[in-house]
Structures are given as C-alpha cells and as structure tokens.
Amino acid sequence: MGELVDRDQEHLNLLKLSYYIMAGTTGFFSLFAVLYIGLGALFASGVLPSTPNDAGNTRIMGLIFLSIGLVVMLISVAITFLTYWAGRCLRDRRHRTFCVVIACLSCLHVPFGTAIGVCTIIVLGRPSVRALFEAPPAA
C-alpha cells in the first residue's frame, strides 16, 4: 500500500509541475495581446498621420484593436491564474473537483494541455488519490 501512495504522490507532484509550466507559458503568450493594445491605442489616439477623410475610420479601427487586445488579455490572464491555482490545489491536495474541471478545460490547449488534462483526469480518478484529497490537511 505504501508503494501505491508513493506513486500517487509522485504523479501529483509531476502534474503540479506541469500545471505551473503551462501557466507560465500561457502567461507569456498572453503578452502578445499587448501588441494589439498598443497598436489600437496608437490608431485611436490619432498619432499616426492619416488623410482627413480616413481619420474617423482609423480611430474606429484603433478602438476595435484596443478592445480585442483587452478582451484577449483578460481571458488569458484568467486562464493563467486558474491553471496556476490548479497546480497549487494539486500541491496542497485540496479542491479535487476544481482540479478535474480545470483538467477538462486544459484539454482545449492542444497538444500539451490535452495530455496534461487527460493524465490529470486519470490520476484524480483513482480511489487512492481521492483518499489523499479527502484526508484532513497535515498541520
């Protein structure tokens, strides 16, 4: 029985590390939204020279770029935080249901997120791992 618990602990630690890495890469790629935000702000502010007939269209295009960039940044930061929090929950052996939900959502991150999500669902489905999550936290 001790070998089974050691294997489960090792798998949970590997999953924790995988979620931290996935959160880091998601956070890094969310910085590309800053390009849209900067470009949109540049167009919307009117700093770029344009013909008098296109001034209104340029500002509208800038606002569209700015709003797209902000929405993408907000969603990416939320996904980054939730992925990181799932890693923390795996580390602390808490909130098993939350970890399963994030594992299902991470399956949308093809191909690495899918592998991590499927492995997480398999590991968290084991009865011995359920017992680890249901045990009272160590002091």
Side-chain angles (χ1 to χ4, degrees), residues 50-131:
S50 62
T51 61
N53 296 337
D54 289 340
N57 293 337
T58 305
R59 289 190 203 285
I60 291 172
M61 184 179 69
L63 291 175
I64 290 171
F65 267 67
L66 185 65
S67 61
I68 288 172
L70 288 173
V71 167
V72 167
M73 179 69 111
L74 180 69
I75 291 171
S76 297
V77 167
I79 291 171
T80 300
F81 174 75
L82 290 174
T83 305
Y84 174 76
W85 189 253
R88 292 281 306 257
C89 290
L90 286 171
R91 180 193 73 181
D92 298 337
R93 312 298 187 254
R94 298 181 302 151
H95 308 294
R96 182 186 162 278
T97 305
F98 172 75
C99 292
V100 170
V101 169
I102 295 300
C104 292
L105 290 176
S106 70
C107 287
L108 298 173
H109 293 236
V110 176
F112 300 114
T114 303
I116 293 169
V118 169
C119 290
T120 304
I121 292 168
I122 290 171
V123 170
L124 291 179
R126 294 181 194 154
S128 56
V129 174
R130 286 181 190 220

Side-chain angles (χ1 to χ4, degrees), residues 6-27:
D6 290 341
R7 183 186 66 164
D8 291 338
Q9 295 281 0
E10 181 182 354
H11 288 172
L12 288 172
N13 286 334
L14 288 172
L15 286 172
K16 171 194 72 167
L17 181 64
S18 299
Y19 276 97
Y20 286 159
I21 291 171
M22 193 165 71
T25 55
T26 304

